[in-house]
Amino acid sequence: MRRSDGHRHDGHRHDGRRRNGRDRSAWAWAWAALAGAVSGALFVGVADTVALLAARDASPVIAVGSFVVDVVPRWAKEAAIELFGSNDKLFLISTVAVAALIAAVAAGLLELARRWAGVAVIGAAGAAAIAATVTRADASPLAFLPPTIGALAAAASVHVLVDALRRWRGARERGASTTGVDRRRFLVLTGAGAALALVAGVGSRIGSAATSSIAAVRAALRLPAPRDRVTVPSGADLRLPGLSPLFTPNTDFYRVDTALTVPAIDPDTWRLTVDGLVEQRVQLSFHDLLAMGLREYAITLTCVSNQVGGDLVGNALWLGVPLRDVLSRARPRRGADMVLSRSIDGFTASTPLSALTDPGRDAILAVGMNGEPLPLEHGFPVRMVVPGLYGYVSATKWLTELKVTTFAADQAYWTPRGYSPQAPIKLSSRIDTPRIDRALAAGPTKIAGVAWAQTVGIRKVEVQIDGGPWQEAALAAPVNADTWVQWSLDWEATTGSHTLAVRATDRDGRLQEEKRTPIAPNGSTGWQTTVVRVG
Ligand SMILES: Nc1nc2c(c(=O)[nH]1)N[C@H]1C(S)=C(S)[C@@H](COP(=O)(O)O)O[C@H]1N2
Ligand SMILES: [Mo]
């Protein structure tokens, strides 16, 4: 019905306008310009969305803007500041936006003049954006992705849209009966492209605005001083070159989670619900939690995915509240044996209830990490930390709910994916220095690393050189049983290649498992062996 209507209207217009060649196609250039502009918007929208998802630091508009800041001569910068004052950034971004719009319109026009010419323009703009992005000092390894995918989307868009436009123009010039269909096809495609660009653009803006405003909230947050602090014995940190520091700086702390974008939670609206098999359903605000009083804890976190010798392990000073105090407010019912902790993004972990209520184990709700509020990537504002259990069964970040339940009734995120519902951390040791990839000169040196057996503690670390006898390493003073311990052994390194191996024994007298097993279903085992070249 509507279709035949459209045909009729088109027919009328044709009759009125068919005068000369130039006039006939002038309208098409305007549509080509629009197709170019829509494609340019898609570039930015898609790139910003990918930047938000994959490489938060690599929005191409910002990267190109920063690039311009770096390359414009000083007089131009000063002139801009003089003219626009503190709006100079806005001026810069507007200039980049206007230049991008002009390039996009040109791409549309060129594509109509000649197939692929517009695609080439977008390809060149894409290459420039990629160059500006990956050369930033703080660029992540994925920084090339946003401008690449954005450029691909824009190139496909300008090509498809102008193709549709050309078809519409052809049909119209021939006075063909398909003119209405062809016109509608072009308009629908262009509208869809514009809608997609709008959704992607607005979505990524909202996403990054939420993250950056929560980052500002976090930066302004002052946590109350803890009631007591961890005493770190002197000699706990050997400070040897190449050896992991006793406490892992937040910026170096490994990160493992399933979150595509880092959740942005406002502590003012955050609530923790304790429910399930409880006498009393409890809800806590961030303020309620802080009011319980904070204590400091030193706990080494380990990921089940850590391979023998791997780096998915880190030690931090946490500020938090004992989980048993929170759970006791809700009074778990008899029969419950598990707490299913839930993150705002749906991730869940299954932790034995006994591990969380055990007065001998410092299972905590953490709000601080190494002297600051939890970093956003590490679970801001509140996460769980449980000594002795792998992260996937205990260390829920962006925590929102503790459901008291049973292992029989509930499964956590990783359980149906091939990992054990319960997973104590396995006793392990690691050689940090020397390393296979670093040159070492002959002469006296130190073999050093870390070993951990959370909740039990390390009694002994032994090193074997070139298959010789096991030699006992010196242990640094331990902070407590929940943290890793540094160890070191003096070594007179001789020229050539050498094989080093390490194994630990915990305070219960158990020797680290020698047999190699994979990370699934509940953590790797095996003694680390490494080869080093000396001289
Ligand atoms: N919300 C949420 N919390 C999570 C995870 C996750 O995927 N989502 N991963 C867990 C895993 S597998 C580990 S090892 C630890 C890692 O914590 P980190 O990233 O602070 O080092 O977080 C745990 N908490
Ligand atoms: Mo993990």
PDB file of all heavy atoms in Angstrom, residues 323-341:
ATOM      1  N   LEU A 323      33.956 -10.640  58.012  1.00  0.00           N
ATOM      2  CA  LEU A 323      32.694 -11.122  57.453  1.00  0.00           C
ATOM      3  C   LEU A 323      31.834 -11.795  58.512  1.00  0.00           C
ATOM      4  O   LEU A 323      30.606 -11.755  58.446  1.00  0.00           O
ATOM      5  CB  LEU A 323      32.994 -12.100  56.320  1.00  0.00           C
ATOM      6  CG  LEU A 323      32.868 -11.463  54.931  1.00  0.00           C
ATOM      7  CD1 LEU A 323      33.708 -12.197  53.920  1.00  0.00           C
ATOM      8  CD2 LEU A 323      31.414 -11.412  54.502  1.00  0.00           C
ATOM      9  N   ARG A 324      32.502 -12.422  59.526  1.00  0.00           N
ATOM     10  CA  ARG A 324      31.697 -13.114  60.546  1.00  0.00           C
ATOM     11  C   ARG A 324      30.830 -12.121  61.314  1.00  0.00           C
ATOM     12  O   ARG A 324      29.713 -12.453  61.721  1.00  0.00           O
ATOM     13  CB  ARG A 324      32.574 -13.941  61.489  1.00  0.00           C
ATOM     14  CG  ARG A 324      33.650 -13.171  62.199  1.00  0.00           C
ATOM     15  CD  ARG A 324      34.482 -14.041  63.138  1.00  0.00           C
ATOM     16  NE  ARG A 324      35.627 -13.289  63.620  1.00  0.00           N
ATOM     17  CZ  ARG A 324      36.783 -13.159  62.949  1.00  0.00           C
ATOM     18  NH1 ARG A 324      36.954 -13.790  61.806  1.00  0.00           N
ATOM     19  NH2 ARG A 324      37.755 -12.415  63.436  1.00  0.00           N
ATOM     20  N   ASP A 325      31.315 -10.875  61.482  1.00  0.00           N
ATOM     21  CA  ASP A 325      30.515  -9.870  62.184  1.00  0.00           C
ATOM     22  C   ASP A 325      29.278  -9.480  61.376  1.00  0.00           C
ATOM     23  O   ASP A 325      28.212  -9.207  61.925  1.00  0.00           O
ATOM     24  CB  ASP A 325      31.358  -8.618  62.469  1.00  0.00           C
ATOM     25  CG  ASP A 325      32.472  -8.905  63.476  1.00  0.00           C
ATOM     26  OD1 ASP A 325      32.480 -10.038  64.028  1.00  0.00           O
ATOM     27  OD2 ASP A 325      33.325  -8.025  63.685  1.00  0.00           O
ATOM     28  N   VAL A 326      29.453  -9.415  60.046  1.00  0.00           N
ATOM     29  CA  VAL A 326      28.327  -9.070  59.175  1.00  0.00           C
ATOM     30  C   VAL A 326      27.331 -10.221  59.156  1.00  0.00           C
ATOM     31  O   VAL A 326      26.110 -10.031  59.301  1.00  0.00           O
ATOM     32  CB  VAL A 326      28.832  -8.748  57.757  1.00  0.00           C
ATOM     33  CG1 VAL A 326      27.665  -8.544  56.803  1.00  0.00           C
ATOM     34  CG2 VAL A 326      29.745  -7.522  57.790  1.00  0.00           C
ATOM     35  N   LEU A 327      27.850 -11.458  59.011  1.00  0.00           N
ATOM     36  CA  LEU A 327      26.965 -12.627  58.937  1.00  0.00           C
ATOM     37  C   LEU A 327      26.227 -12.860  60.245  1.00  0.00           C
ATOM     38  O   LEU A 327      25.066 -13.277  60.250  1.00  0.00           O
ATOM     39  CB  LEU A 327      27.772 -13.874  58.560  1.00  0.00           C
ATOM     40  CG  LEU A 327      28.207 -13.926  57.094  1.00  0.00           C
ATOM     41  CD1 LEU A 327      29.224 -15.037  56.864  1.00  0.00           C
ATOM     42  CD2 LEU A 327      26.998 -14.112  56.178  1.00  0.00           C
ATOM     43  N   SER A 328      26.899 -12.569  61.374  1.00  0.00           N
ATOM     44  CA  SER A 328      26.247 -12.857  62.660  1.00  0.00           C
ATOM     45  C   SER A 328      25.045 -11.943  62.870  1.00  0.00           C
ATOM     46  O   SER A 328      24.106 -12.298  63.590  1.00  0.00           O
ATOM     47  CB  SER A 328      27.246 -12.732  63.807  1.00  0.00           C
ATOM     48  OG  SER A 328      27.589 -11.384  63.995  1.00  0.00           O
ATOM     49  N   ARG A 329      25.036 -10.781  62.237  1.00  0.00           N
ATOM     50  CA  ARG A 329      23.852  -9.919  62.329  1.00  0.00           C
ATOM     51  C   ARG A 329      22.632 -10.583  61.689  1.00  0.00           C
ATOM     52  O   ARG A 329      21.499 -10.335  62.079  1.00  0.00           O
ATOM     53  CB  ARG A 329      24.101  -8.593  61.612  1.00  0.00           C
ATOM     54  CG  ARG A 329      25.092  -7.711  62.314  1.00  0.00           C
ATOM     55  CD  ARG A 329      25.072  -6.336  61.698  1.00  0.00           C
ATOM     56  NE  ARG A 329      25.973  -5.441  62.406  1.00  0.00           N
ATOM     57  CZ  ARG A 329      26.028  -4.143  62.198  1.00  0.00           C
ATOM     58  NH1 ARG A 329      25.241  -3.586  61.299  1.00  0.00           N
ATOM     59  NH2 ARG A 329      26.865  -3.393  62.880  1.00  0.00           N
ATOM     60  N   ALA A 330      22.907 -11.401  60.643  1.00  0.00           N
ATOM     61  CA  ALA A 330      21.795 -12.038  59.932  1.00  0.00           C
ATOM     62  C   ALA A 330      21.428 -13.385  60.561  1.00  0.00           C
ATOM     63  O   ALA A 330      20.365 -13.925  60.292  1.00  0.00           O
ATOM     64  CB  ALA A 330      22.161 -12.227  58.460  1.00  0.00           C
ATOM     65  N   ARG A 331      22.319 -13.941  61.353  1.00  0.00           N
ATOM     66  CA  ARG A 331      22.126 -15.231  62.023  1.00  0.00           C
ATOM     67  C   ARG A 331      21.778 -16.363  61.043  1.00  0.00           C
ATOM     68  O   ARG A 331      20.611 -16.719  60.882  1.00  0.00           O
ATOM     69  CB  ARG A 331      21.074 -15.117  63.127  1.00  0.00           C
ATOM     70  CG  ARG A 331      21.647 -14.410  64.371  1.00  0.00           C
ATOM     71  CD  ARG A 331      20.595 -14.227  65.444  1.00  0.00           C
ATOM     72  NE  ARG A 331      19.685 -13.134  65.081  1.00  0.00           N
ATOM     73  CZ  ARG A 331      18.363 -13.198  65.108  1.00  0.00           C
ATOM     74  NH1 ARG A 331      17.771 -14.298  65.510  1.00  0.00           N
ATOM     75  NH2 ARG A 331      17.632 -12.170  64.754  1.00  0.00           N
ATOM     76  N   PRO A 332      22.785 -16.946  60.396  1.00  0.00           N
ATOM     77  CA  PRO A 332      22.560 -18.056  59.468  1.00  0.00           C
ATOM     78  C   PRO A 332      21.835 -19.211  60.142  1.00  0.00           C
ATOM     79  O   PRO A 332      22.057 -19.486  61.316  1.00  0.00           O
ATOM     80  CB  PRO A 332      23.984 -18.468  59.066  1.00  0.00           C
ATOM     81  CG  PRO A 332      24.795 -17.234  59.262  1.00  0.00           C
ATOM     82  CD  PRO A 332      24.193 -16.526  60.427  1.00  0.00           C
ATOM     83  N   ARG A 333      20.941 -19.865  59.387  1.00  0.00           N
ATOM     84  CA  ARG A 333      20.167 -20.985  59.947  1.00  0.00           C
ATOM     85  C   ARG A 333      20.980 -22.270  59.898  1.00  0.00           C
ATOM     86  O   ARG A 333      21.913 -22.418  59.113  1.00  0.00           O
ATOM     87  CB  ARG A 333      18.897 -21.197  59.105  1.00  0.00           C
ATOM     88  CG  ARG A 333      17.939 -20.066  59.198  1.00  0.00           C
ATOM     89  CD  ARG A 333      16.502 -20.604  59.134  1.00  0.00           C
ATOM     90  NE  ARG A 333      15.587 -19.475  59.181  1.00  0.00           N
ATOM     91  CZ  ARG A 333      14.866 -19.067  58.127  1.00  0.00           C
ATOM     92  NH1 ARG A 333      14.949 -19.713  56.989  1.00  0.00           N
ATOM     93  NH2 ARG A 333      14.069 -18.022  58.242  1.00  0.00           N
ATOM     94  N   ARG A 334      20.564 -23.231  60.752  1.00  0.00           N
ATOM     95  CA  ARG A 334      21.181 -24.561  60.722  1.00  0.00           C
ATOM     96  C   ARG A 334      20.958 -25.178  59.357  1.00  0.00           C
ATOM     97  O   ARG A 334      19.929 -24.972  58.730  1.00  0.00           O
ATOM     98  CB  ARG A 334      20.530 -25.467  61.768  1.00  0.00           C
ATOM     99  CG  ARG A 334      20.883 -25.099  63.192  1.00  0.00           C
ATOM    100  CD  ARG A 334      20.093 -25.971  64.170  1.00  0.00           C
ATOM    101  NE  ARG A 334      20.556 -27.371  64.096  1.00  0.00           N
ATOM    102  CZ  ARG A 334      21.524 -27.846  64.874  1.00  0.00           C
ATOM    103  NH1 ARG A 334      22.101 -27.054  65.752  1.00  0.00           N
ATOM    104  NH2 ARG A 334      21.910 -29.105  64.773  1.00  0.00           N
ATOM    105  N   GLY A 335      21.937 -25.904  58.898  1.00  0.00           N
ATOM    106  CA  GLY A 335      21.795 -26.575  57.601  1.00  0.00           C
ATOM    107  C   GLY A 335      22.488 -25.812  56.487  1.00  0.00           C
ATOM    108  O   GLY A 335      22.870 -26.400  55.481  1.00  0.00           O
ATOM    109  N   ALA A 336      22.649 -24.507  56.663  1.00  0.00           N
ATOM    110  CA  ALA A 336      23.350 -23.734  55.639  1.00  0.00           C
ATOM    111  C   ALA A 336      24.833 -24.100  55.683  1.00  0.00           C
ATOM    112  O   ALA A 336      25.405 -24.259  56.761  1.00  0.00           O
ATOM    113  CB  ALA A 336      23.178 -22.242  55.897  1.00  0.00           C
ATOM    114  N   ASP A 337      25.463 -24.253  54.494  1.00  0.00           N
ATOM    115  CA  ASP A 337      26.901 -24.557  54.501  1.00  0.00           C
ATOM    116  C   ASP A 337      27.675 -23.717  53.488  1.00  0.00           C
ATOM    117  O   ASP A 337      28.865 -23.903  53.294  1.00  0.00           O
ATOM    118  CB  ASP A 337      27.148 -26.052  54.241  1.00  0.00           C
ATOM    119  CG  ASP A 337      26.685 -26.507  52.869  1.00  0.00           C
ATOM    120  OD1 ASP A 337      26.190 -25.669  52.085  1.00  0.00           O
ATOM    121  OD2 ASP A 337      26.817 -27.713  52.581  1.00  0.00           O
ATOM    122  N   MET A 338      26.986 -22.782  52.826  1.00  0.00           N
ATOM    123  CA  MET A 338      27.671 -22.006  51.793  1.00  0.00           C
ATOM    124  C   MET A 338      27.129 -20.577  51.752  1.00  0.00           C
ATOM    125  O   MET A 338      25.970 -20.336  52.102  1.00  0.00           O
ATOM    126  CB  MET A 338      27.443 -22.689  50.434  1.00  0.00           C
ATOM    127  CG  MET A 338      28.231 -22.102  49.287  1.00  0.00           C
ATOM    128  SD  MET A 338      27.253 -21.098  48.174  1.00  0.00           S
ATOM    129  CE  MET A 338      26.801 -22.318  46.944  1.00  0.00           C
ATOM    130  N   VAL A 339      28.013 -19.644  51.369  1.00  0.00           N
ATOM    131  CA  VAL A 339      27.555 -18.285  51.091  1.00  0.00           C
ATOM    132  C   VAL A 339      27.812 -18.019  49.619  1.00  0.00           C
ATOM    133  O   VAL A 339      28.943 -18.162  49.143  1.00  0.00           O
ATOM    134  CB  VAL A 339      28.276 -17.246  51.972  1.00  0.00           C
ATOM    135  CG1 VAL A 339      27.950 -15.832  51.499  1.00  0.00           C
ATOM    136  CG2 VAL A 339      27.885 -17.423  53.429  1.00  0.00           C
ATOM    137  N   LEU A 340      26.753 -17.692  48.900  1.00  0.00           N
ATOM    138  CA  LEU A 340      26.882 -17.337  47.493  1.00  0.00           C
ATOM    139  C   LEU A 340      26.975 -15.813  47.430  1.00  0.00           C
ATOM    140  O   LEU A 340      25.992 -15.116  47.683  1.00  0.00           O
ATOM    141  CB  LEU A 340      25.668 -17.850  46.705  1.00  0.00           C
ATOM    142  CG  LEU A 340      25.800 -17.754  45.186  1.00  0.00           C
ATOM    143  CD1 LEU A 340      26.734 -18.842  44.658  1.00  0.00           C
ATOM    144  CD2 LEU A 340      24.443 -17.856  44.509  1.00  0.00           C
ATOM    145  N   SER A 341      28.184 -15.314  47.161  1.00  0.00           N
ATOM    146  CA  SER A 341      28.342 -13.862  47.095  1.00  0.00           C
ATOM    147  C   SER A 341      28.135 -13.426  45.661  1.00  0.00           C
ATOM    148  O   SER A 341      28.560 -14.113  44.723  1.00  0.00           O
ATOM    149  CB  SER A 341      29.730 -13.463  47.583  1.00  0.00           C
ATOM    150  OG  SER A 341      30.725 -14.206  46.922  1.00  0.00           O
TER     151      SER A 341
END
